[in-house]
Amino acid sequence: MDFQTFSDATLRAFTQSVFIKMGCSEEHAKLATDVLLKADLRGIDSHGVARLTGYVRLWEKGRINPKPNIKVIHETATTATVDGDAGLGLVVAPFAMDLAIKKAREFGSGWVAVKNSNHFGIAGYHSLKAVENDMIGYALTNASPLVAPTFSSERMLGTNPICYAFPAGNYPPVVVDMATSTAANGKLEIAQRKGMNVPEGWIQDKDGNAALNPADLKNGGSLLPLGSDREHGSHKGFGLSATVDILSAVLSGASYGPWAPPFVAFMDPLPKQPGEGLGHFLGAMRVDGFRPIEDFKANMDNWIQRFKDAKPINKNQKVIIPGEPELEAEKDRKINGIPLIEAVVNDLNEVAEKLGLVKL
């Protein structure tokens, strides 16, 4: 598979120029770009600049407001609900997490539900904002309905990621960032661009039969919950996804389940929407609300070291701490650049030509 490598600075300047061309303020364009580039730097290629063309198409259809009036519509000392005014989730979610952190700083914890938003990038970006403040971060979002619940062939839920981030001392933070489906949709998009099949257990066709061709998803098939089928625990993935959907959307007043607005612009949201836009749920908890931060970090370092020392099945494959591969990717890509496959580069250059911008 052919690919080109670009520096962080090059992709950052290009992406920011696209968001500004969409009508975003310089501040919002810079923030949205930072969220996308964080995904690319951390090796989560499915949620980086490869998604940029999707945001542009949604903006062209009038489903993204480039100049949102993001506001708090309900609030207590430790909780709030935010209306994102159909803005970029890449901008709305950081606003909500900043509010959660502010509440946590004053009251020990902060919890913010969001409605009327859009795709918010990688959940890890938002949880790590809390870690920077010696807090535990929590980030959830519902997403385009592509996942069938256990025993169904109907798309009812999104990949609905869940992320916890925990600060440590001498070690980097532990970041548990995962989809509640067997695989994130972005991984199928990458497989399709590469002309590859996906592993068994990721998807099913429109009739509920096991499938390997990622194109089956576009032909009426569905992603499977974490666990893939009932015998392998898909009811647990279904339960986790349902929890994310309820906290992100039912609680906030966003659209939930099969009504969650699809990220792809060629599909319109279902009629009779029960809420507004996509929903998120962001949380921050002060560690020193439970025990001294230094003690916690020391125990976290001990926890990490002990798990790293766990006896491996294969001496060449040691236990990987959650967040470790992404950190290694970030270190490498800051030095050696970010690889983009040819199909993504072509998509980005088409957008540049359409918007009158310089191509990559």
Side-chain angles (χ1 to χ4, degrees):
M1 175 59 61
D2 292 332
F3 65 89
Q4 297 180 46
T5 302
F6 299 88
S7 69
D8 174 34
T10 296
L11 289 180
R12 201 169 289 271
F14 176 87
T15 304
Q16 193 167 330
S17 70
V18 171
F19 283 126
I20 289 175
K21 203 73 173 179
M22 287 168 59
C24 297
S25 67
E26 188 169 338
E27 178 188 3
H28 282 185
K30 185 176 180 181
L31 176 56
T33 296
D34 195 48
V35 179
L36 287 188
L37 264 295
K38 190 70 169 178
D40 282 313
L41 285 170
R42 289 175 69 82
I44 311 171
D45 300 331
S46 58
H47 284 61
V49 295
R51 289 261 172 165
L52 184 58
T53 55
Y55 294 109
V56 172
R57 286 191 286 266
L58 287 177
W59 164 67
E60 289 173 332
K61 290 205 72 172
R63 286 175 50 194
I64 285 180
N65 177 7
K67 298 184 183 298
N69 176 25
I70 306 168
K71 58 186 177 182
V72 176
I73 57 172
H74 188 88
E75 189 171 22
T76 72
T78 59
T79 65
T81 300
V82 166
D83 185 330
D85 194 26
L88 286 162
L90 307 170
V91 171
V92 177
F95 174 95
M97 180 52 95
D98 285 342
L99 180 57
I101 291 168
K102 180 182 177 182
K103 288 179 175 294
R105 192 175 289 122
E106 187 171 358
F107 299 106
S109 68
W111 305 94
V112 180
V114 179
K115 72 170 185 174
N116 203 7
S117 186
N118 283 282
H119 190 276
F120 78 175
I122 56 169
Y125 181 94
H126 312 297
S127 292
L128 283 168
K129 286 173 71 70
V131 168
E132 292 167 4
N133 291 272
D134 281 341
M135 299 179 187
I136 294 168
Y138 185 58
L140 314 174
T141 185
N142 73 334
S144 308
L146 295 170
V147 181
T150 303
F151 300 138
S152 176
S153 62
E154 185 178 359
R155 298 172 172 183
M156 295 289 289
L157 292 162
T159 53
N160 293 5
I162 180 171
C163 179
Y164 277 100
F166 303 92
N170 296 322
Y171 281 106
V174 172
V175 183
V176 181
D177 186 357
M178 63 180 192
T180 53
S181 55
T182 302
N185 181 43
K187 291 186 176 181
L188 268 79
E189 293 173 350
I190 289 173
Q192 190 158 9
R193 280 173 168 150
K194 292 181 177 180
M196 297 170 58
N197 283 340
V198 297
E200 185 176 353
W202 279 22
I203 58 173
Q204 61 186 12
D205 65 21
K206 60 184 176 60
D207 299 315
N209 301 311
L212 302 177
N213 186 345
D216 279 323
L217 186 63
K218 287 187 175 181
N219 295 326
S222 52
L223 291 167
L224 293 170
L226 188 62
S228 76
D229 57 34
R230 180 65 173 80
E231 287 69 29
H232 293 91
S234 68
H235 59 291
K236 298 177 183 179
F238 174 26
L240 286 171
S241 187
T243 301
V244 173
D245 201 40
I246 292 167
L247 286 173
S248 299
V250 179
L251 186 62
S252 68
S255 286
Y256 43 80
W259 292 282
F263 181 74
V264 291
F266 62 81
M267 290 178 63
D268 291 324
L270 293 174
K272 298 181 180 180
Q273 290 277 299
E276 295 179 88
L278 286 184
H280 319 310
F281 189 74
L282 293 305
M285 295 181 286
R286 270 174 51 182
V287 172
D288 65 3
F290 299 89
R291 66 185 301 205
I293 183 67
E294 295 79 11
D295 294 348
F296 175 82
K297 286 184 174 180
N299 280 169
M300 279 299 299
D301 283 348
N302 185 54
W303 186 96
I304 292 167
Q305 186 60 59
R306 181 62 188 89
F307 275 81
K308 288 175 73 69
D309 291 341
K311 183 179 179 180
I313 296 171
N314 181 332
K315 64 180 181 180
N316 296 318
Q317 178 59 72
K318 293 191 174 183
V319 171
I320 298 171
I321 305 301
E324 211 170 37
E326 291 84 358
L327 183 66
E328 290 303 312
E330 189 166 3
K331 289 177 181 176
D332 175 71
R333 291 184 174 194
K334 280 183 176 178
I335 297 171
N336 298 314
I338 297 167
L340 298 181
I341 62 173
E342 187 177 5
V344 170
V345 176
N346 292 339
D347 285 348
L348 293 173
N349 282 333
E350 284 181 18
V351 165
E353 186 172 3
K354 182 169 28 176
L355 297 179
L357 298 169
V358 177
K359 296 182 180 180
L360 285 170

